[in-house]
Amino acid sequence: MTRFLLNLIIMGIITIAIYWLIDSFIPALSVYSIPIALLLGITIGFFIYIQIDNRMGP
């Protein structure tokens, strides 16, 4: 459970960071910044979760 909560926090931080990067540096895509940030944040977060889960084991 601790790994899952940690992963949710990491997903949130990654999503906010990607949103900020798109909104700040690519203003032409600012309309789509929330969906892109959510998609990439969740995808990268699950990748990190899988990597942590594989390293630590059951």
Side-chain angles (χ1 to χ4, degrees):
M1 185 68 172
T2 306
R3 285 182 276 174
F4 182 69
L5 292 175
L6 177 66
N7 187 54
L8 287 178
I9 293 169
I10 290 172
M11 276 187 198
I13 292 170
I14 290 171
T15 301
I16 291 170
I18 292 172
Y19 173 76
W20 178 78
L21 286 172
I22 292 172
D23 208 34
S24 297
F25 298 111
I26 312 172
L29 292 178
S30 65
V31 176
Y32 304 109
S33 61
I34 293 175
I36 291 171
L38 283 173
L39 179 69
L40 289 176
I42 291 170
T43 304
I44 293 169
F46 273 124
F47 176 75
I48 291 172
Y49 177 71
I50 290 169
Q51 295 301 317
I52 291 172
D53 195 41
N54 285 340
R55 179 183 293 167
M56 293 179 134

